[in-house]
Amino acid sequence: MAPLPSFPLTLSFLFFLFFTLSSSSSTPLKKTFIIQIHKQSKPSIFPTHQHWYQSSLSSISNATTPTSIIHTYDTVFHGFSAKLSPLEAQKLQTLPHVIALIPEQVRHTHTTRSPQFLGLRTADRTGLLHETDFGSDLVIGVIDTGIWPERQSFNDHDLGPVPAKWKGQCVAGKDFPASSCNRKLIGARYFSGGYEATNGKMNETNEYRSPRDSDGHGTHTASIAAGRYVSPASTLGYAKGVAAGMAPKARLAVYKVCWNGGCYDSDILAAFDAAVADGVDVASLSVGGVVVPYHLDIIAIGAFAASNAGVFVSASAGNGGPGGLTVTNVAPWVTTVGAGTIDRDFPADVKLGNGLTIPGVSIYGGPGLTPGRMYPIVYAGVEEFGNGRGSDGYSASLCLEGSLDPKFVKGKIVVCDRGINSRAAKGEEVRKKGGVGMILANGVFDGEGLVADCHVLPASAVGANGGDEIRRYIGNSRPESPATATIVFKGTRLGVGPAPVVASFSARGPNPVSPEILKPDVIAPGLNILAAWPDRVGPSGVPSDGRRTEFNILSGTSMACPHVSGLAALLKAAHPDWSPAAIRSALMTTAYTVDNRGHPMLDESTGNVSSVFDYGAGHVHPEKAMNPGLVYDISGSDYVNFLCNSNYTTKSIQVITRKGADCSGAKRAGHSANLNYPSLSAVFPQYGKHRMSTHFIRTVTNVGDTNSVYKVSIKPPRGMVVTVKPETLSFRRVGQKLNFLVRVQTRAVKLPPGGSSVKSGYIVWSDGKHTVTSPLVVTMQQPLD
Ligand SMILES: *[C@@H]1O[C@H](CO)[C@@H](O)[C@H](O)[C@H]1NC(C)=O
Ligand SMILES: *[C@@H]1O[C@H](CO)[C@@H](O)[C@H](O)[C@H]1NC(C)=O
Ligand SMILES: *[C@@H]1O[C@H](CO)[C@@H](O)[C@H](O)[C@H]1NC(C)=O
Ligand SMILES: *[C@@H]1O[C@H](CO)[C@@H](O)[C@H](O)[C@H]1NC(C)=O
């Protein structure tokens, strides 16, 4: 065997490799860029912008490998996307009418009882649903994996004609005739150019080149936002009842952008472009990626123009929790939605041979284990690698496809570590190798958060503490008395408390791009949500799963986002003149932060009290949001001032707004925390100062009653002095705006270098009838040196 090269040699060898790769001109690595163009500069000799763009491309690209346009954009953005070599990109950048080249990012999807849990009243004749006719005139655009149009959730019984303003289309494609649309599903398009530019031609045995959903995620999210009433609904007998989306009569338009392997920015921007031109009222995006500054973030760019056109954009916060700074889709013109639990769960207890019972959850509907019988139990991590801890990355990769030995698992219940993904696929591996059951045990990084899956064999998910108990029991067992266990499935349990609890996976603040904007904005139900499911995929999502269900139960901020999308449609139906910012304000200032026991909302990952970085303003309360009293409105120019005050260059701002920006006025007007946001967030770097203070200027618009008088009450963050001036706001008429100023003063606290201290409170305006609550969070940071 050849000796391993010494470390320095390896390094220089690697360096050499990189050097030759990047300097090689014969194999230029092409990448997709989204190119912004000065729309007005089009020379008149070109009949269309498309001709002009193509000619610009030809002028810089190599005739032997012609570059073609992937998409042109004309509504939320001016320009096109194309795959370019580094040299081509460089040349294009020098053309006078080219404003910016934005490198493409690949995004991923952030993978019923929820209407009742949210307090939406259906039985009586008042309330948000009835007063808005269930959102009947509104159109929700779902940018996702497509749709399975035949599901009952998308039937159009008793719906009126398609709203007259609608300009969208039902684009036909593979297994999706144009007749797939109806008065419920009024639009369907698909965008695959960006995906195929990177991955080559789509493999049509695996997916549909059409709006039809081969994944399930888009069907699920669309029906959460606007599914019709379907009864009885359940998954494998679990969660039986009436299934309904938030706005059961709102119309749906789907924009398929996610394919096997991801959702590409160039396609996402094309979807935004089409959705706004088609006339959607709400855009729902349960997709996210790496957080970058707004002028490099295609979702932020598309959402800015959409929002300026009056389209409410809600997006999932991401599933990167419970760690801090994990929240995504953080632009202040996007409503960022985290996930909470609902008061329903699916208990499946693990009973151990030593008499202990470990609580778990599961959705398993097949033949169970023999009642009363105990089965031998083994830990996949211990036997093969002699490592009993199970929370490190190595053993967490166990139970992946092909990893288990039938001799080891046959006839046994197998304990697998949860790891980051493919929970149901681990069960499939156990089943294939002859195991009779599986326990999916969290490690320390997973904490106590549990997600119920539609397993392909009897299986239960348990938390880190329970998992350690089980691993210890197995580790201490002896050959003469082998470890045994069974799983007892208890079906669906309702009225569970405490709820809501912030879901363990829900991504958390602070906001990594703009710390002075608190994100997420709100949380909504995102754990174990029942919604429609395509016929092409089994409920576990495992390819070999032959079961078919009309509904499936999924978890993620992906499921929370469309709840807010549907609610936004209802609010817009109730208040057609409200801007997207006013709708968000109504949702935020009426949100709650206590659970169904009346205690502060907890964090599923720790069992401790959660914070504003976990839930933002709190959990949405739709009936209250219909009548918030006051709203914090924001205009397009307010956002421009915010960008100016956040030190974005005028060129970067132009990429987002498509207009030249003049920041001179904004700079004088103050700082970025003065954006008229419904929450207040201040960051104090403690550069040797003893006292620090800041202020926020806010403007509220009366959307309640004439002649109403609001008084402020303040709960300052601990140890701080907060004053509000004036303390009373007297409105004579509806639509009237009044300003106030919030001043926060504090002393420096002792912190280690690089340390920070976060304290929160709130301010509340009330006229005795409405309460308008804004969280106030102050972060003190000790510089590293
Ligand atoms: C075109 O390709 C040739 C060889 O393939 C290369 O030498 C040349 O630099 C390329 N030009 C551009 C603009 O990429
Ligand atoms: C397409 O996918 C199928 C099923 O996964 C596979 O058998 C086939 O080889 C793939 N075709 C191509 C061209 O990759
Ligand atoms: C939960 O709260 C307790 C008491 O404040 C604290 O000691 C503990 O560290 C917290 N746990 C976590 C995981 O944050
Ligand atoms: C913008 O730059 C100014 C001057 O350097 C600085 O004081 C301010 O804190 C910066 N603002 C933000 C939001 O980064």
Side-chain angles (χ1 to χ4, degrees), residues 407-441:
K407 286 202 289 289
F408 177 52
V409 303
K410 196 164 179 1
K412 297 174 187 164
I413 293 176
V414 181
V415 179
C416 298
D417 289 324
R418 170 166 163 182
I420 19 179
N421 234 322
S422 59
R423 299 179 302 267
K426 293 183 178 187
E428 170 65 2
E429 169 70 6
V430 172
R431 191 194 61 80
K432 259 196 338 222
K433 300 297 168 64
V436 297
M438 174 178 70
I439 295 163
L440 200 59

Side-chain angles (χ1 to χ4, degrees), residues 3 16 78 150 207 223 265 283 344 351 460 491 682:
F16 175 73
H78 299 311
E150 293 81 10
E207 46 192 336
S223 68
D265 270 352
R344 174 181 69 195
K351 283 201 166 15
S460 182

Side-chain angles (χ1 to χ4, degrees), residues 148-299:
W148 198 269
E150 293 81 10
R151 283 306 180 221
Q152 275 311 300
S153 298
F154 310 122
N155 80 66
D156 67 355
H157 301 320
D158 307 326
L159 284 183
V162 170
K165 64 167 188 184
W166 182 243
K167 297 201 270 297
Q169 278 182 33
C170 194
V171 174
K174 179 85 163 80
D175 290 341
F176 197 96
S179 60
S180 304
C181 293
N182 57 17
R183 281 170 290 130
K184 175 69 183 176
L185 177 64
I186 63 171
R189 299 179 186 271
Y190 65 100
F191 303 92
S192 60
Y195 167 75
E196 291 182 288
T198 298
N199 297 282
K201 208 164 149 28
M202 172 188 315
N203 184 343
E204 292 196 53
T205 49
N206 296 332
E207 46 192 336
Y208 304 100
R209 182 188 293 284
S210 78
R212 184 172 290 279
D213 184 4
S214 56
D215 176 276
H217 188 270
T219 300
H220 204 263
T221 55
S223 68
I224 291 170
R228 304 298 306 273
Y229 289 98
V230 180
S231 177
S234 74
T235 298
L236 310 171
Y238 283 84
K240 272 207 189 78
V242 181
M246 292 295 102
K249 287 190 177 175
R251 317 306 170 109
L252 281 167
V254 303
Y255 300 86
K256 180 175 175 180
V257 297
C258 295
W259 307 88
N260 270 341
C263 330
Y264 284 73
D265 270 352
S266 51
D267 294 333
I268 293 174
L269 190 60
F272 265 112
D273 215 47
V276 173
D278 288 350
V280 303
D281 297 288
V282 173
S284 187
L285 195 73
S286 291
V287 166
V290 179
V291 171
V292 289
Y294 307 128
H295 65 287
L296 299 173
D297 180 347
I298 284 301
I299 291 179

Side-chain angles (χ1 to χ4, degrees), residues 96-120:
H97 53 278
V98 171
I99 299 170
L101 266 73
I102 304 167
E104 176 166 72
Q105 208 191 118
V106 190
R107 318 273 181 159
H108 295 280
T109 51
H110 284 144
T111 334
T112 271
R113 207 175 129 72
S114 44
Q116 289 97 314
F117 181 73
L118 282 168
L120 278 172

